[in-house]
Amino acid sequence: MATTAPVDQREPGERAMRAWRPRRVLVTRSAMTFAHGRDIAARAAAQGIEVAELSGDRLNLAFSDDPRRAYAEAKNTLAVTVAPPSKRRLQPIAPSADWRVDLAEGCPAHCSYCYLAGSLKGPPITRVYANLDEILGVLPDYLGQGTITSRSDTRAHEGTTFEASCYTDPLALEPLTGSLSATIAWFGRWQADAQLRFTTKFADVAPLLALDHGGRTRMRASLNPPAFARFEGGTARVHDRLAALARMAAAGYPVGLTIAPIIAAVGWEEAYGALIDDAAAALAGLPELDLTVELITHRFNTGSKAVLDSWYPGSALDMTATNRVTKRTKFGAEKQVYDAATMRLLRSFFERAITEALPAARILYWT
C-alpha cells in the first residue's frame, strides 16, 4: 500500500464554488459565422469579460515566457473556434462509451492529477466549438455502430452511447456556452436508441433541470473524498456535487458516480467508505433511481507527470514508483498503475462497499 502521509480532510477552501469566469475570450473569424459562436461571445460580453474577435482563425496566444505565468494565462483564456472535420469523425472511448463527441477541449479546473495533461498539445487553454449543429449532425451516422455498449451483453440496453466529457468538463463551461443544454435537448428530441453521457466535478445543474431530456442523458458526478478533493482545485465541493446529482435524478435523469481517480494513500478505506455512505444518503428516497458506478484508479505516464510537475510543483500527490508497475497500452504507450496486490485490495473494497451501501447501483467497469 502507499506510504504517503495522511492527507488533509478539508475540501479546497471550504467555500462555495462560483462559476468559472475567464479573463478573456478569443473568437476566431470562422466561429463568428455560426450563431452558436456569436451567442457565446455575447454571453461573455454581457458578463463583462474581455472578448477579442480575431481577424483570422489562428490563435496568436502570446503567453509569457515564464512557464508558471503562461500556465495561469492559459487557464484564464477561453477560445471559441470551429471543430475541424477530424473532430466530426468520432472515435471510440472505452470503457465509457461507444463514441467520443467533443463539445470542447480543455478544462478550467486545476486538478493535480489531470487526465488531460500530456494529452492535449500546447498551452492548457479551453477551446469551445461554435459549429455545434455540425457536430451533432454526424451522430446519426454512428447509431448502432459502436462496440462498448451497442454490442455489449450487459450494457446493450443503454443503446449507442456518446461521451461528451472526455477532453473537457461541459458543465463547467455551460454558463458561457450553453452547449451542454443544447446537446441534451437534441438527444431528447432524437427518437433513437442512444444515450448522451457526461461527467463533471461541478454542481450548477439548474439550467439542465427543466430540459426535455427524454431520459437519454446520463449525468455522472466525478468524485473523490474531501480528503483527496484538495487535489481538485477550482471545482465544486464534494457535497455540492452529490446534491447536484440528486437534483438531476429527481428531474428524471439517469445518474452515476465516477469515483476517480482512486488514490491509495494512507486512510483511503475510511475516506472512500465515508464517500460511498455520503452518496447513499444524498440519493436515498429517490423513486426509480437509475444509478451506475464507474471506478477508475489513479495512473500516470512519464509525459503527464512531467507536465503536472511543472503545473503543480510541490503537490502532495504521490506519483512515485511506490506500489506501481508499468503497464503497456495496446498502442505501445506506457503508464504507471498500482501493482496487482494493491489493485486487488482496492477492487474488493469498492465492490463490497458499493453493494452494501448502494445495492441498486450497477458497477459498469473497474480500471
Side-chain angles (χ1 to χ4, degrees):
M1 294 303 299
T3 57
T4 53
V7 292
D8 192 331
Q9 296 295 314
R10 294 171 298 177
E11 291 191 46
E14 288 294 338
R15 44 78 181 119
M17 181 61 203
R18 294 190 300 251
W20 178 57
R21 190 175 187 275
R23 291 182 181 172
R24 63 172 180 165
V25 173
L26 308 177
V27 189
T28 65
R29 179 176 59 189
S30 292
M32 286 299 289
T33 67
F34 292 89
H36 190 59
R38 295 192 296 274
D39 288 345
I40 295 171
R43 287 191 192 95
Q47 294 184 27
I49 299 170
E50 175 191 348
V51 177
E53 295 185 21
L54 306 181
S55 58
D57 291 337
R58 185 172 181 177
L59 297 176
N60 296 310
L61 300 173
F63 289 138
S64 170
D65 292 333
D66 176 73
R68 292 295 300 155
R69 186 172 179 181
Y71 166 81
E73 292 171 350
K75 278 289 192 176
N76 280 297
T77 300
L78 176 70
V80 186
T81 66
V82 174
S86 61
K87 287 292 182 185
R88 305 197 296 276
R89 292 191 290 270
L90 306 190
Q91 300 298 316
I93 181 64
S96 171
D98 284 326
W99 303 107
R100 188 186 98 212
V101 54
D102 293 330
L103 309 181
E105 281 194 0
C107 174
H110 299 268
C111 298
S112 56
Y113 54 72
C114 181
Y115 293 133
L116 301 182
S119 298
L120 301 178
K121 296 179 180 180
I125 68 169
T126 297
R127 293 173 169 84
V128 299
Y129 298 132
N131 54 332
L132 182 61
D133 287 345
E134 289 185 348
I135 293 169
L136 298 177
V138 305
L139 302 192
D141 296 339
Y142 293 84
L143 192 64
Q145 301 302 308
T147 60
I148 308 305
T149 60
S150 296
R151 302 177 190 175
S152 164
D153 291 338
T154 57
R155 295 183 62 186
H157 64 281
E158 297 177 46
T160 306
T161 47
F162 297 86
E163 175 66 62
S165 47
C166 181
Y167 282 168
T168 190
D169 188 316
L171 187 60
L173 310 177
E174 185 64 5
L176 284 175
T177 68
S179 297
L180 181 58
S181 293
T183 304
I184 291 172
W186 190 92
F187 270 81
R189 295 189 300 270
W190 190 17
Q191 298 299 312
D193 188 14
Q195 184 185 99
L196 175 69
R197 294 163 50 80
F198 75 94
T199 189
T200 181
K201 290 183 176 68
F202 289 78
D204 184 9
V205 295
L208 313 181
L209 298 176
L211 295 176
D212 186 6
H213 56 81
R216 296 190 183 92
T217 293
R218 184 178 299 274
M219 177 261 200
R220 298 107 74 211
S222 180
L223 299 169
N224 250 309
F228 304 121
R230 69 185 184 123
F231 299 126
E232 301 172 351
T235 62
R237 295 179 297 185
V238 175
H239 72 79
D240 290 338
R241 299 181 217 175
L242 286 172
L245 191 72
R247 293 180 72 192
M248 291 287 279
Y253 283 88
V255 296
L257 309 175
T258 305
I259 303 179
I262 296 168
I263 300 170
V266 172
W268 67 264
E269 289 180 276
E270 295 81 3
Y272 284 105
L275 174 67
I276 293 168
D277 288 343
D278 288 345
L283 298 171
L286 288 168
E288 300 180 8
L289 178 66
D290 182 344
L291 177 67
T292 60
V293 183
E294 294 153 81
L295 300 167
I296 306 169
T297 55
H298 180 237
R299 67 278 316 278
F300 60 90
N301 58 39
T302 302
S304 65
K305 183 180 185 302
V307 172
L308 291 169
D309 285 345
S310 70
W311 286 355
Y312 308 108
S315 171
L317 181 64
D318 182 15
M319 288 195 289
T320 67
T322 303
N323 297 322
R324 299 281 185 175
V325 294
T326 300
K327 183 176 181 180
R328 192 176 296 275
T329 71
K330 65 180 181 180
F331 302 108
E334 293 184 351
K335 57 185 174 182
Q336 299 301 307
V337 302
Y338 289 122
D339 59 32
T342 302
M343 291 288 265
R344 283 195 299 269
L345 189 59
L346 288 167
R347 185 169 188 173
S348 175
F349 166 82
F350 277 96
E351 290 180 347
R352 181 178 66 254
I354 290 166
T355 298
E356 292 174 356
L358 295 162
R362 292 181 291 114
I363 297 177
L364 296 187
Y365 55 84
W366 164 273
T367 184

